Amino acid sequence: GTEEVVDHQRLSGAGYCFSASAPPFTARAALASLTRLQNTEKQLLNKLNANRALLYQLLGSMLEETVNKLVITSQDISPIVILQLSPSVIHPTSPNSKSSSTTTTTKPHKLSREEQITLLDTISNTCLDKGIALISTGKSTNAMNKDWETSTHFVTPPPSLKLTVSAVHTKEHLEECVRVLGEVVKEVLGSFGGDV
């Protein structure tokens, strides 16, 4: 082959010839990145930690205002935030509805996985229209395993929203993100699990 292809194979293939490890070139690049973060880029890690803490604080306040329509399922030490529909949305309760002659109780249905994905996709797309990028993970995990409810080989995570905070975000970015998300949650999930 060409010199370019041969060079690529030589650099990328070495780690795969006798083991399942990463090629030496990629392992060395990762090590250099970690060393740089430890030695010279500590302010980035400090800024990331400050942004992460602020985001979780802002999200906690927003979730209280929206009557906990979403729940945070990620650990608060992670800069990747996972939000899922709360049990009050997935298993809605319905007040007694009165007819002219008797009082009847309407039993609401549990939201299916597809219905949950649709709600989260709507939140994600509406936020994107307003300049905030959230990822709805439901469809990608659905594609992993079509028989997710009956399979014993895969544990398919519940549909969720994912957002990531970085060191370059400002306080204003995070406040705007949470403000928009709160508005969209009220708009999309307002009728689930009580008033917002």
Side-chain angles (χ1 to χ4, degrees), residues 65-84:
E65 291 173 15
T66 60
V67 195
N68 295 315
K69 301 292 184 177
L70 298 173
V71 292
I72 300 172
T73 59
S74 53
Q75 294 293 318
D76 64 358
I77 61 169
S78 174
I80 301 171
V81 181
I82 306 296
L83 297 161
Q84 295 174 349

Side-chain angles (χ1 to χ4, degrees), residues 149-165:
E149 290 178 342
T150 59
S151 175
T152 57
H153 301 292
F154 295 101
V155 176
T156 305
S160 58
L161 293 172
K162 180 173 78 170
L163 67 126
T164 305
V165 64

Side-chain angles (χ1 to χ4, degrees), residues 11-175:
L11 286 173
S12 299
Y16 297 110
C17 291
F18 302 105
S19 71
S21 65
F25 178 76
T26 4
R28 184 69 185 133
L31 182 61
S33 296
L34 291 173
T35 301
R36 183 175 175 190
L37 279 174
Q38 285 180 329
N39 297 333
T40 61
E41 303 293 338
K42 287 186 180 179
Q43 70 274 11
L44 283 177
L45 293 176
N46 292 337
K47 178 70 172 149
L48 175 62
N49 281 328
N51 283 349
R52 174 199 47 78
L54 177 61
L55 180 62
Y56 277 93
Q57 177 189 0
L58 293 170
L59 283 170
S61 297
M62 182 273 296
L63 292 175
E64 287 177 16
E65 291 173 15
T66 60
V67 195
N68 295 315
K69 301 292 184 177
L70 298 173
V71 292
I72 300 172
T73 59
S74 53
Q75 294 293 318
D76 64 358
I77 61 169
S78 174
I80 301 171
V81 181
I82 306 296
L83 297 161
Q84 295 174 349
L85 294 172
S86 71
S88 67
V89 173
I90 296 172
H91 306 281
T93 57
S94 175
N96 290 343
S97 57
K98 296 182 180 180
S99 66
S100 57
S101 59
T102 61
T103 301
T104 60
T105 302
T106 307
K107 184 177 180 183
H109 75 285
K110 174 184 174 186
L111 294 180
S112 69
R113 180 175 180 82
E114 289 72 26
E115 289 169 320
Q116 293 176 50
I117 290 169
T118 299
L119 286 172
L120 293 173
D121 284 350
T122 302
I123 291 171
S124 177
N125 292 333
T126 306
C127 283
L128 188 58
D129 291 342
K130 296 181 178 196
I132 303 298
L134 294 163
I135 304 299
S136 176
T137 64
K139 286 184 182 172
S140 61
T141 56
N142 237 11
M144 287 175 13
N145 182 10
K146 299 268 186 206
D147 301 318
W148 71 277
E149 290 178 342
T150 59
S151 175
T152 57
H153 301 292
F154 295 101
V155 176
T156 305
S160 58
L161 293 172
K162 180 173 78 170
L163 67 126
T164 305
V165 64
S166 75
V168 297
H169 288 120
T170 64
K171 179 181 178 186
E172 292 76 22
H173 290 145
L174 300 178
E175 289 172 342

